[in-house]
Amino acid sequence: MSRRRFITLEGGEGVGKSTLLAGLENELGRLGQKIVCTREPGGTAMAERLRSVLLSPQEIGDKSSPVAEALIISAARRDHVENLIEPALSEGNWVICDRFVDSTRAYQGMALSGEDFDALAKIATNSVMPGLTLLLDAPPEELLERRKQRGAQLDRFERRPMSFHNDVRQRFLKIAKSEADRVVVLDALRTPEQLVAEAILHLKKVGLLPEETNTGAVS
Ligand code: TMP
């Protein structure tokens, strides 16, 4: 089966997913492709409501059960897949999503057995998996420092200790290792232009874009 035109961007806090998403949208748009950009948790009215509950320290405090988090995020994901991602793909669009099921494995997966996680992921995604996942990787210390310096307001996850963020990073890298055909690791400390160029190269490598595509992206 050919790969879905469904690209997910993954990584820890402040790795630059939004910047890469905007760059990719721009580059694919220049090539005349139809693109739907979205995010998780979120993307539909119901999922966005669940997102605001989940990320707000004011609403639910700093502590919550990671299993409960996984269930809420999975409910949001199923609504997003059924009502936005699948219809957009069926209509011939590319879908670029800021975070997807790998984030749940990296942030909440440690609280569930592998079997339970896989079962939950299957229901939540309706077995719709990305054709390519770009994992932006860098030491969390550097990234969170950059966010704090910019005066960003930290959400419930960003406020967690550095050891949590380092564990999240390692879990993402483990996913990339075990699913090397789908997940590619990019150095998040490279420039936005370099990252877009690398992403385009990978889209060509997996056959999502023809090799001869002439892009403006420079590496
Ligand atoms: P972001 O939009 O800044 O990436 O924030 C989303 C937050 O939600 C981020 O801190 C990670 C967290 N999250 C999870 O913990 N599990 C998930 O499955 C997803 C999609 C996000």
Side-chain angles (χ1 to χ4, degrees):
M1 196 183 112
S2 63
R3 290 184 190 241
R4 290 189 175 93
R5 289 173 153 192
F6 176 29
I7 314 298
T8 57
L9 309 183
E10 295 280 10
E13 309 297 334
V15 280
K17 290 178 284 91
S18 318
T19 309
L20 178 57
L21 190 143
L24 261 182
E25 181 184 20
N26 188 32
E27 200 53 36
L28 289 172
R30 247 181 22 85
L31 297 171
Q33 306 287 333
K34 293 188 295 171
I35 309 132
V36 171
C37 293
T38 186
R39 67 172 181 180
E40 288 213 341
T44 61
M46 181 203 272
E48 289 290 336
R49 281 290 289 142
L50 293 173
R51 176 191 177 92
S52 67
V53 170
L54 203 73
L55 297 193
S56 158
Q58 291 77 29
E59 285 200 57
I60 56 174
D62 280 329
K63 259 186 96 155
S64 61
S65 152
V67 177
E69 288 172 10
L71 293 170
I72 292 172
I73 292 165
S74 297
R77 178 162 301 131
R78 178 66 191 225
D79 194 57
H80 189 209
V81 168
E82 262 188 57
N83 291 314
L84 189 143
I85 297 176
E86 286 185 306
L89 291 171
S90 302
E91 286 164 19
N93 297 284
W94 289 73
V95 174
I96 312 179
C97 189
D98 185 338
R99 296 194 184 279
F100 196 57
V101 69
D102 298 320
S103 277
T104 317
R105 199 184 281 280
Y107 282 81
Q108 285 82 28
M110 67 299 183
L112 290 155
S113 70
E115 208 174 287
D116 284 351
F117 184 88
D118 290 345
L120 184 61
K122 188 164 177 244
I123 298 171
T125 61
N126 200 18
S127 300
V128 175
M129 285 297 284
L132 184 69
T133 295
L134 303 166
L135 170 59
L136 289 165
D137 176 65
E141 289 82 358
E142 293 195 33
L143 302 168
L144 276 167
E145 199 44 48
R146 276 201 317 212
R147 302 238 324 114
K148 278 188 204 152
Q149 277 172 9
R150 272 190 260 134
Q153 276 235 321
L154 302 187
D155 68 33
R156 281 184 66 247
F157 292 98
E158 290 168 323
R159 287 150 59 111
R160 291 190 178 169
M162 203 48 76
S163 57
F164 175 81
H165 296 294
N166 275 307
D167 288 348
V168 166
R169 181 188 190 194
Q170 293 312 320
R171 285 194 287 266
F172 272 129
L173 290 172
K174 197 169 160 201
I175 298 168
K177 211 168 165 191
S178 66
E179 292 185 63
D181 185 51
R182 172 177 67 85
V183 185
V184 296
V185 183
L186 304 179
D187 176 355
L189 299 180
R190 300 195 76 194
T191 66
E193 294 76 19
Q194 288 171 329
L195 287 167
V196 172
E198 275 188 56
I200 295 287
L201 269 181
H202 285 288
L203 288 176
K204 290 182 182 175
K205 220 187 238 174
V206 299
L208 277 166
L209 280 177
E211 274 298 334
E212 62 279 9
T213 309
N214 197 356
T215 66
V218 283
S219 51

